[in-house]
Amino acid sequence: MNINMKMDFSSSLTSLLLLALSLPSEAGKCPRLCSCDSTKLTVACVGKNLTEVPPTIDEITVKLDLRSNNLQELPRGAFMLTPYLTHLNLQRCNIVKVKEGAFRTLGRVVFLNLAYNKIDILYQESFDGLSSLKELHLDHNRVEEIQPGAFTQLGFLNMLALTHNQLVYIPNMAFQGLNSIKWLRLSHNSLNNLAPEAFASLFTLIRLSLDHNELQFFPTQAMNRLREVTRLDMSHNPMIYLGEESVSMAKLTHLYLDHMSLQDLSDQALSDAPLLSHLDVSFNQLRYLEPLSGPKQLGSLNLTGNPVYCNCYMRPLREWARVGGVKLLGVCAGPPHLSDEPLQAVAPMDLRCRSRGEMLVDELEKEDENTESPPPTAKPKQKVKCPVNCECNTEAQHVTCEGRGHTKVPRGFPTKTQLLDLRSNHFHNVPASSFPGTSQVVSLHLEFCKIHQIEGSAFQGMKNLLYLYLSDNDLTSLAPGTFAGTPELTYLHLEGNRLAQFPGSALAVLPSLFVLHLERNSISTLQHTGLLSSSSPKLKELYLTNNTIASIAKGALGFSFLGTLHLDANQLLDIPTQALSEASNLEELSLSQNSIRWVGPNAFQPLSQSLKRLYMDQMGMEKMSKDALAGLGPGLTALTMRGNLLEELPDLSPLTGLEVVDLQDNPLRCDCSLLPLRRWMDNVSMEVTAICGHPAEIRGQKVKDVLVFSSCSEESFHPKEMVVAPRPRKLKKPKPNLSKGSGVKTRPVKPKVKLPKPSKNKTQIKLLSKTMIKSKKAV
């Protein structure tokens, strides 16, 4: 070895020593269960069951990811040691409360994700200190109250997401302080009323999402405050009529009113929206429409899914659209000779009514039918009455008696009432015919009323009722005729009661039932005779979380259109394969937090053509057959098996459509038997976190990082059917639910990457390692 080579070798050893000496101090700044990148200044502690923010995070950290932990409460000064953070992710951390001053030192944070937690109130000081925040995610929480001044510290916020919460009412000045807000998302709440000044001071707002709520009328007063909004989504709200000058928004360009209950739309409804270019009123109940006054730049009017009758009453609209260059989307529902004809293709001259003689005959027939009860010559004016200790808003068609101490259901509501709110009273018993004169009511709230009995025909006459909320009462059973007289009931909430059996006989009179909530009851079995699935032909979503279900009979789930089934946090010991054979259209199945230790072959075969999302977290699962997922192919997009006891996994390569995979917190055995999983992980573009639990020397390392698989040959891998004798099983109280699917949503790619081949000369590597160690000692 020449002098130069010796000097280079000595220099290399010195560098290695310096690096080794520096490692302990660097490692000390990274919490034990976390992964840190000192170059990007990021720390990730995802899914580590942390109960507090790690105190050893490096002060200069810029991005902190604490997803899927168990923080529950954020105390004051929770992030005092990380003042340089710009991005903070606290998604799925079971956070119930954010205390005053929790974020007070985070003046540099621009992105904060608090989604999928359990926050119910936004306090005045909740976000104090976040003076630079631009994006705040509070979706999928339980927010039901926004206290005044909750957002006053967020002057630079651009986007606020409050979707999928429990908001019923937005008070005046609720969003005061959001001086830079561009997009406010309030979709998927239970909003039925907005205060006139609810959106006051939002002078920069451009986009507002209010879809999937319970607004019965267009909130004209509240919307008048939004001077800059260009996009407004009000779809999926049960509005029936849009009156004159309802929409007064000078800069509005896109308005979505689809999937509502619109039966009439005034020609002057949009007279104060001159810049409107796109109007979507698809999937409503409009039979015809008059030319719209106001919008001068309208380019598209979507009438798809409406029962439009193409006769002479539609001629003015068709001519108006032709002259103004407005594209009409949709087809004629009648008369027969124009049925299914595109509106855009129908010529104005083809839009004709019947002859005057024919119409005169019809009028005479109608007169004959009405001779017994001639109309009065003058309609007397009647003073609108309201029950004592209630508030009646006749314009909004909304009545509230919430929390007024009523012990009996009040009588004498205005006949046009559409939303009736009676929650938080003390009714105990609801007798027959408790709601006379309420045939127009669409939504009825009876939550937290301590109801333990509902007599048959209690809701008789409520022929337009769509939403019924009976959550959090003391019901132990429901009589067969409980819901008689409510043929249109679509959404039924019975969660948080003490029902011991599935109320199948009570549901037999609900042909329109679409969504049924039965979470947090005491149902122990699902019997074939108890569901009466043929009586609920439209049932699409069934939620049975947190009951005590231990068995499901074959045929008990025979709802032909059932698409979502949540059975998590029950007492099932096996996959209910036979019962699932009747649910041929099921797309989402949650079995998490059941004590299912063994998943046998073909467990989900009956759902092979429909299942898209499968959740099996925290079940204590120890073994899976190599054919457990047989039949589930490209259609499955989400698979989670987090927090189980699995050492081996079946081959996932047939599941080519997966976008979300969660295998965390399983003690996988990292030997050649796991080679198919390792190959699959190398050949998909999404990030899959899987950790080795065995053997001991590599415990805690990521499956993708260990080199043991490089020595595996094709001959060394012999897949065997994993059969295990059933153990005695003790039913345990379910642990708190962790997140569903925390993987990155990307599409798999075709296999391209090959595993590294084993080294041809391991002896040389060992000798070289020994030489380096001796050289270091000499230095």
Side-chain angles (χ1 to χ4, degrees):
M1 185 180 295
N2 60 37
I3 294 174
N4 290 334
M5 290 180 68
K6 286 180 179 180
M7 289 178 65
D8 290 340
F9 184 74
S10 177
S11 176
S12 299
L13 287 177
T14 304
S15 299
L16 286 170
L17 280 172
L18 290 172
L19 179 61
L21 288 170
S22 68
L23 283 175
S25 62
E26 292 294 328
K29 294 181 180 180
C30 188
R32 183 173 59 86
L33 296 174
C34 306
S35 59
C36 307
D37 189 329
S38 58
T39 58
K40 296 181 180 178
L41 304 179
T42 62
V43 176
C45 314
V46 181
K48 303 301 180 183
N49 203 30
L50 300 174
T51 56
E52 63 177 1
V53 179
T56 57
I57 297 174
D58 198 321
E59 181 185 25
I60 63 172
T61 300
V62 172
K63 293 185 179 181
L64 177 58
D65 191 347
L66 294 173
R67 277 174 299 156
S68 303
N69 283 290
N70 193 28
L71 301 180
Q72 295 191 12
E73 184 175 280
L74 293 181
R76 182 171 182 168
F79 302 94
M80 284 183 63
L81 302 178
T82 53
Y84 297 100
L85 286 181
T86 61
H87 292 71
L88 177 57
N89 195 335
L90 295 167
Q91 187 178 346
R92 301 181 188 272
C93 284
N94 288 321
I95 297 171
V96 177
K97 186 175 182 181
V98 178
K99 285 199 168 183
E100 176 189 348
F103 303 114
R104 193 158 286 166
T105 56
L106 300 182
R108 293 177 172 84
V109 167
V110 296
F111 174 89
L112 173 60
N113 192 341
L114 282 163
Y116 291 94
N117 282 292
K118 300 175 181 178
I119 301 168
D120 56 356
I121 299 176
L122 300 181
Y123 295 96
Q124 185 173 358
E125 306 292 336
S126 292
F127 305 108
D128 188 19
L130 297 169
S131 55
S132 300
L133 194 64
K134 292 187 176 181
E135 193 169 324
L136 175 58
H137 291 265
L138 287 164
D139 45 292
H140 292 87
N141 274 274
R142 300 174 181 176
V143 178
E144 57 184 23
E145 181 182 350
I146 302 174
Q147 291 193 349
F151 303 111
T152 52
Q153 302 291 321
L154 308 182
F156 287 96
L157 195 71
N158 294 149
M159 194 282 290
L160 172 60
L162 275 164
T163 66
H164 294 88
N165 277 283
Q166 298 176 14
L167 292 169
V168 175
Y169 173 70
I170 301 293
N172 288 325
M173 307 299 289
F175 304 102
Q176 187 176 12
L178 300 180
N179 302 324
S180 304
I181 191 75
K182 298 292 190 295
W183 187 9
L184 177 57
R185 300 167 61 187
L186 294 167
S187 312
H188 292 276
N189 278 276
S190 300
L191 290 171
N192 56 57
N193 199 4
L194 305 177
E197 303 292 331
F199 301 126
S201 78
L202 298 183
F203 302 118
T204 60
L205 192 68
I206 294 175
R207 186 172 181 181
L208 176 60
S209 302
L210 279 165
D211 53 287
H212 292 86
N213 277 286
E214 295 179 20
L215 294 167
Q216 313 283 325
F217 66 101
F218 193 89
T220 304
Q221 283 186 290
M223 294 302 174
N224 285 350
R225 307 297 187 268
L226 300 173
R227 305 171 186 171
E228 301 296 323
V229 166
T230 60
R231 284 178 173 264
L232 175 60
D233 190 349
M234 300 287 294
S235 59
H236 293 271
N237 278 281
M239 295 184 197
I240 296 175
Y241 174 65
L242 216 61
E244 295 181 5
E245 300 179 350
S246 293
V247 184
S248 181
M249 305 176 75
K251 294 190 177 181
L252 190 67
T253 60
H254 291 70
L255 177 58
Y256 301 93
L257 300 171
D258 53 286
H259 292 86
M260 303 207 298
S261 302
L262 287 175
Q263 298 175 12
D264 192 12
L265 182 69
S266 169
D267 62 320
Q268 299 291 325
L270 308 170
S271 58
D272 290 330
L275 301 184
L276 193 67
S277 59
H278 291 78
L279 175 61
D280 189 346
V281 289
S282 58
F283 298 97
N284 280 286
Q285 303 300 317
L286 298 169
R287 288 184 62 82
Y288 83 102
L289 206 62
E290 294 180 0
L292 300 173
S293 300
K296 304 299 181 184
Q297 302 179 24
L298 196 64
S300 172
L301 174 57
N302 192 352
L303 286 162
T304 303
N306 283 278
V308 176
Y309 200 80
C310 292
N311 60 8
C312 61
Y313 294 107
M314 277 292 290
R315 189 183 300 163
L317 182 77
R318 181 67 188 88
E319 185 63 30
W320 167 81
R322 185 187 65 80
V323 173
V326 180
K327 185 176 182 181
L328 293 179
L329 302 177
V331 298
C332 299
H337 71 282
L338 291 177
S339 183
D340 294 328
E341 187 73 17
L343 294 174
Q344 190 72 13
V346 178
M349 64 177 59
D350 293 331
L351 298 170
R352 295 176 299 210
C353 291
R354 290 182 298 169
S355 68
R356 188 172 179 180
E358 293 172 322
M359 294 176 69
L360 185 60
V361 171
D362 286 348
E363 288 176 6
L364 290 172
E365 289 177 354
K366 289 179 181 178
E367 287 179 7
D368 291 340
E369 292 174 1
N370 297 328
T371 50
E372 296 179 4
S373 55
T377 55
K379 187 177 181 181
K381 291 185 178 180
Q382 296 180 351
K383 185 179 179 181
V384 176
K385 294 182 179 181
C386 188
V388 176
N389 213 11
C390 293
E391 294 177 11
C392 301
N393 187 330
T394 54
E395 182 182 354
Q397 299 172 327
H398 172 209
V399 175
T400 179
C401 311
E402 179 184 356
R404 305 297 171 87
H406 292 283
T407 57
K408 294 182 179 179
V409 177
R411 298 285 180 106
F413 301 111
T415 55
K416 293 185 178 181
T417 299
Q418 292 187 3
L419 187 142
L420 181 54
D421 192 345
L422 300 171
R423 76 186 79 193
S424 301
N425 284 288
H426 309 286
F427 297 136
H428 300 291
N429 177 52
V430 181
S433 300
S434 286
F435 301 91
T438 57
S439 61
Q440 300 301 312
V441 169
V442 173
S443 181
L444 174 60
H445 289 264
L446 288 166
E447 306 101 306
F448 298 101
C449 285
K450 299 184 179 180
I451 300 170
H452 60 78
Q453 182 182 8
I454 301 177
E455 295 182 9
S457 300
F459 307 101
Q460 187 68 43
M462 304 188 80
K463 61 182 181 180
N464 288 310
L465 190 64
L466 294 177
Y467 304 87
L468 177 56
Y469 298 88
L470 286 163
S471 318
D472 297 286
N473 282 290
D474 298 316
L475 294 167
T476 56
S477 63
L478 293 171
T482 299
F483 304 113
T486 60
E488 299 299 321
L489 189 60
T490 304
Y491 301 88
L492 177 58
H493 290 258
L494 288 164
E495 64 267 32
N497 281 280
R498 293 186 287 137
L499 296 170
Q501 295 181 340
F502 190 98
S505 57
L507 307 179
V509 295
L510 301 178
S512 301
L513 190 62
F514 188 79
V515 177
L516 176 59
H517 287 272
L518 282 165
E519 304 97 317
R520 296 182 287 115
N521 278 282
S522 303
I523 301 169
S524 58
T525 61
L526 297 181
Q527 300 295 334
H528 178 53
T529 56
L531 295 192
L532 300 177
S533 57
S534 60
S535 300
S536 300
K538 296 181 181 179
L539 191 66
K540 181 75 172 178
E541 300 176 14
L542 177 58
Y543 299 93
L544 290 161
T545 303
N546 272 308
N547 278 274
T548 59
I549 299 170
S551 64
I552 304 177
K554 184 178 180 181
L557 300 174
F559 298 95
S560 55
F561 290 100
L562 190 65
T564 298
L565 176 61
H566 284 200
L567 289 166
D568 37 319
N570 277 284
Q571 296 179 6
L572 294 170
L573 302 179
D574 301 290
I575 306 294
T577 306
Q578 280 194 322
L580 293 172
S581 63
E582 301 293 324
S584 57
N585 289 304
L586 199 65
E587 295 183 357
E588 177 173 312
L589 174 62
S590 178
L591 294 166
S592 301
Q593 300 178 71
N594 282 281
S595 299
I596 302 175
R597 296 185 180 177
W598 156 250
V599 180
N602 304 307
F604 305 100
Q605 185 70 43
L607 309 177
S608 60
Q609 300 302 312
S610 63
L611 196 62
K612 295 180 180 179
R613 298 172 294 279
L614 176 59
Y615 305 111
M616 296 189 293
D617 303 315
Q618 290 186 297
M619 302 198 310
M621 186 164 40
E622 298 172 356
K623 296 283 185 181
M624 293 183 73
S625 163
K626 68 180 179 68
D627 297 320
L629 304 175
L632 301 179
L636 194 69
T637 60
L639 174 64
T640 71
M641 296 186 288
R642 185 193 189 105
N644 285 294
L645 302 172
L646 293 169
E647 296 185 8
E648 300 180 39
L649 289 171
D651 186 9
L652 301 182
S653 59
L655 309 179
T656 56
L658 281 177
E659 298 173 358
V660 174
V661 180
D662 193 347
L663 305 174
Q664 290 194 60
D665 302 320
N666 282 285
L668 298 173
R669 179 173 294 280
C670 290
D671 57 21
C672 291
S673 64
L674 207 65
L675 183 62
L677 175 68
R678 171 58 194 275
R679 284 179 169 168
W680 176 80
M681 290 172 63
D682 280 340
N683 293 322
V684 294
S685 59
M686 59 183 159
E687 180 182 348
V688 181
T689 302
I691 305 297
C692 298
H694 308 280
E697 58 268 21
I698 56 174
R699 181 178 298 139
Q701 295 186 38
K702 293 182 179 180
V703 172
K704 207 163 184 178
D705 293 343
V706 297
L707 299 176
V708 64
F709 302 104
S710 61
S711 60
C712 296
S713 61
E714 292 294 333
E715 291 75 18
S716 66
F717 172 60
H718 298 287
K720 297 178 181 178
E721 178 61 58
M722 296 175 278
V723 180
V724 68
R727 299 184 185 182
R729 295 168 178 170
K730 296 180 181 179
L731 294 178
K732 298 179 181 179
K733 186 177 180 181
K735 298 178 181 179
N737 191 17
L738 290 177
S739 61
K740 294 179 182 178
S742 59
V744 178
K745 294 186 177 182
T746 51
R747 293 185 178 178
V749 297
K750 294 182 179 179
K752 292 181 181 179
V753 182
K754 294 183 179 180
L755 286 171
K757 295 181 179 179
S759 174
K760 293 180 180 179
N761 196 342
K762 296 182 180 179
T763 308
Q764 290 181 0
I765 294 174
K766 290 180 180 178
L767 288 173
L768 182 58
S769 299
K770 290 179 179 178
T771 305
M772 291 289 285
I773 292 168
K774 288 179 180 179
S775 302
K776 288 181 181 179
K777 288 180 179 179
V779 173

